[in-house]
Amino acid sequence: KNQVEQSPQSLIILEGKNCTLQCNYTVSPFSNLRWYKQDTGRGPVSLTIMTFSENTKSNGRYTATLDADTKQSSLHITASQLSDSASYICVVSKMNNNAGNMLTFGGGTRLMVKP
Amino acid sequence: NAGVMQNPRHLVRRRGQEARLRCSPMKGHSHVYWYRQLPEEGLKFMVYLQKENIIDESGMPKERFSAEFPKEGPSILRIQQVVRGDSAAYFCASSQLAGQNTGELFFGEGSRLTVL
């Protein structure tokens, strides 16, 4: 069964600190892995997309890593800001035809950054 | 270039009524996807449409739910005879390329349905 598991479920850190969110998946065959940020009451916004051949990708203070062998990804947030408080969703895409149900969403990690 | 537009943002219905959720994709995008998000849960795929065609509706309940993406106008997700379990946030996403596995997806802000 295609699954995406994220940990921790929730996390509280102090402003300015770093943190790392984890994502393990069993989706196969693998096409790409995406990290989204979802603010409360808003739609998800893409942070990074990584294909099989990419090990790391950065977007400002966000750095995502991918180990396709162990089927693990992480999202590292550097020098956290209050505005980083949100849910971070790991989404894995299955390589297939153009059918719609190719994305498997993780349950998300709820991050709260406190001053 | 406006993003994905969804309306209404909030909708309250009584059990048995109908709910219609609308989604206008980004300019130039002809692929639309609908997802449902229950409180404290992840997004679940419902349906994938292109203009005038339903490509994949495997995630949509067979009864009471329907979706369309006409040649002109927004995509519509229609829920008939709503029940309390339909209360959720419904997100629309659009892409320029075919298939979720290739194209960047852009999400709307969602429509939050509350069934009393």
Side-chain angles (χ1 to χ4, degrees):
Chain A
K1 184 180 177 182
N2 293 317
Q3 287 186 312
V4 177
E5 301 288 340
Q6 291 188 243
S7 62
Q9 275 194 320
S10 60
L11 182 63
I12 300 174
I13 62 174
L14 292 177
E15 186 179 11
K17 297 296 185 183
N18 304 335
C19 67
T20 301
L21 315 180
Q22 301 291 343
C23 173
N24 297 337
Y25 63 91
T26 59
V27 176
S28 181
F30 174 86
S31 176
N32 59 67
L33 184 145
R34 315 167 187 220
W35 283 94
Y36 284 87
K37 178 186 179 188
Q38 185 176 21
D39 292 311
T40 300
R42 308 292 296 275
V45 175
S46 179
L47 295 175
T48 63
I49 300 178
M50 288 187 293
T51 59
F52 185 88
S53 59
E54 295 176 292
N55 299 118
T56 184
K57 183 169 276 191
S58 291
N59 178 0
R61 294 180 296 102
Y62 301 104
T63 299
T65 66
L66 173 64
D67 186 335
D69 292 329
T70 61
K71 298 187 177 181
Q72 295 179 324
S73 175
S74 67
L75 181 69
H76 186 76
I77 304 175
T78 304
S80 62
Q81 300 176 358
L82 298 179
S83 59
D84 292 333
S85 296
S87 286
Y88 291 84
I89 305 170
C90 175
V91 185
V92 181
S93 177
K94 187 176 180 179
M95 186 177 295
N96 210 317
N97 55 25
N98 290 334
N101 193 19
M102 293 297 106
L103 293 182
T104 303
F105 287 74
T109 293
R110 288 163 187 75
L111 174 66
M112 181 180 293
V113 180
K114 289 193 167 183
Chain B
N1 184 13
V4 178
M5 304 300 291
Q6 289 188 248
N7 68 83
R9 290 292 310 278
H10 300 276
L11 182 64
V12 179
R13 286 287 179 266
R14 296 190 180 279
R15 280 180 297 170
Q17 292 184 319
E18 179 180 286
R20 284 193 182 217
L21 310 178
R22 288 174 289 277
C23 169
S24 296
M26 284 184 71
K27 188 177 180 181
H29 289 192
S30 58
H31 306 272
V32 166
Y33 314 83
W34 285 93
Y35 295 87
R36 177 163 63 177
Q37 187 175 36
L38 295 171
E40 307 300 316
E41 292 189 14
L43 281 81
K44 296 289 192 296
F45 168 81
M46 297 183 73
V47 61
Y48 164 38
L49 310 104
Q50 293 179 25
K51 283 284 187 181
E52 300 184 276
N53 286 305
I54 296 175
I55 307 302
D56 181 355
E57 56 183 347
S58 59
M60 199 157 66
K62 294 286 187 283
E63 297 179 355
R64 303 188 298 109
F65 285 73
S66 62
E68 62 176 6
F69 189 15
K71 186 176 180 180
E72 301 290 337
S75 174
I76 307 284
L77 179 66
R78 182 184 179 202
I79 311 172
Q80 294 178 290
Q81 299 175 322
V82 296
V83 301
R84 289 218 174 99
D86 296 333
S87 296
Y90 292 84
F91 288 95
C92 171
S94 73
S95 70
Q96 189 175 40
L97 299 176
Q100 298 173 76
N101 58 333
T102 53
E104 173 67 88
L105 278 185
F106 295 85
F107 284 85
E109 299 289 23
S111 291
R112 279 149 189 83
L113 171 66
T114 301
V115 180
L116 301 178

